[in-house]
Amino acid sequence: MLNIKGESEGLQTLGIVVVVCTSVKLLHFLGLIDFSDNKVEDELEMAIVCHRPEGLGQLQAQTNFTKRELQVLYRGFKNECPSGVVNEDTFKQIYSQFFPHGDASMYAHYLFNAFDSAHNGSIKFEDFVMALSVLLRGTVHEKLRWTFNLYDINKDGYINKEKMDKNKDGVVTIDEFIESCLQDENIMRSLQLFENVM
């Protein structure tokens, strides 16, 4: 007989790790983060940044990024997305490069929807930065809420799977999700893996 609780916990951990790893890989692919310690290169990148988005100070206040980090992120975002927005097809193309074997388009669709906070079919720089701020530097509760939003496919406030369904009513609420995740050591460790990536 299969261990349902163990399977649930494994799926939870896998889901969170995939979201965080994918976001980090996407940042690295876009040239927004570099895992080397080459400070000269970082200084050169800052000298190249000419255009700043409207409301940089407001974004700095709303995120856990410094002004310098926002400038670097914006430069990379504009290099890859000159129009200033990413549509779902472009997002899927970028995402598929991380998963060349198999069809990852359905998961990319859900991930895109989680980044698209305005639900208008495009990801603006502000959407991108707000999500990254949560995933890379948010509190545990912020990360878990973002992850819950990813799995809440129809945006009705529930995850419609049996994993983490504490009261066995067929749906998982945000409170049940957070409670289950907070009690899982693997999930807690996974959430802390990339806190100092940038």
Side-chain angles (χ1 to χ4, degrees), residues 13 20 27 33 41 44 73 106 127 133 141 145 153 163 166:
T13 303
V20 173
L27 284 171
I33 57 174
E41 221 172 75
L44 181 59
L73 287 168
M106 186 58 81
D127 299 325
S133 177
H141 276 78
R145 285 186 181 282
I153 302 207
K163 60 188 179 194
K166 293 288 187 184

Side-chain angles (χ1 to χ4, degrees), residues 52-61 66-67 70-71 74 125:
R52 292 181 181 95
E54 295 285 328
L56 184 64
Q58 183 179 0
L59 273 177
Q60 186 178 359
T66 66
K67 183 177 180 180
L70 287 168
Q71 291 170 332
Y74 185 71
F125 176 69

Side-chain angles (χ1 to χ4, degrees), residues 17 20-21 24 135-136 143 186-197:
V17 169
V20 173
C21 288
V24 171
L135 290 171
L136 297 177
K143 290 175 184 179
N186 291 327
I187 291 175
M188 294 293 86
R189 278 194 302 273
S190 297
L191 289 175
Q192 295 171 356
L193 283 176
F194 298 103
E195 286 183 353
N196 296 316
V197 169

Side-chain angles (χ1 to χ4, degrees), residues 54-126:
E54 295 285 328
L56 184 64
Q58 183 179 0
L59 273 177
Q60 186 178 359
Q62 293 174 334
T63 66
N64 297 314
F65 292 120
T66 66
K67 183 177 180 180
R68 179 182 182 274
E69 290 168 331
L70 287 168
Q71 291 170 332
V72 172
L73 287 168
Y74 185 71
R75 183 187 59 79
F77 188 86
K78 286 294 282 187
N79 282 343
E80 293 299 321
C81 312
S83 68
V85 296
V86 177
N87 64 28
E88 187 170 347
D89 290 336
T90 302
F91 186 85
K92 284 181 178 180
Q93 288 172 351
I94 293 169
Y95 189 81
S96 69
Q97 293 178 24
F98 300 112
F99 302 97
H101 306 293
D103 183 10
S105 63
M106 186 58 81
Y107 187 75
H109 168 76
Y110 298 134
L111 193 57
F112 177 85
N113 286 341
F115 272 92
D116 179 13
S117 61
H119 307 292
N120 61 5
S122 64
I123 299 172
K124 298 182 302 189
F125 176 69
E126 291 83 356

Side-chain angles (χ1 to χ4, degrees), residues 38-57:
N38 194 341
K39 298 296 181 195
V40 175
E41 221 172 75
D42 288 345
E43 294 301 320
L44 181 59
E45 284 182 0
M46 284 309 297
I48 295 172
V49 176
C50 302
H51 181 70
R52 292 181 181 95
E54 295 285 328
L56 184 64

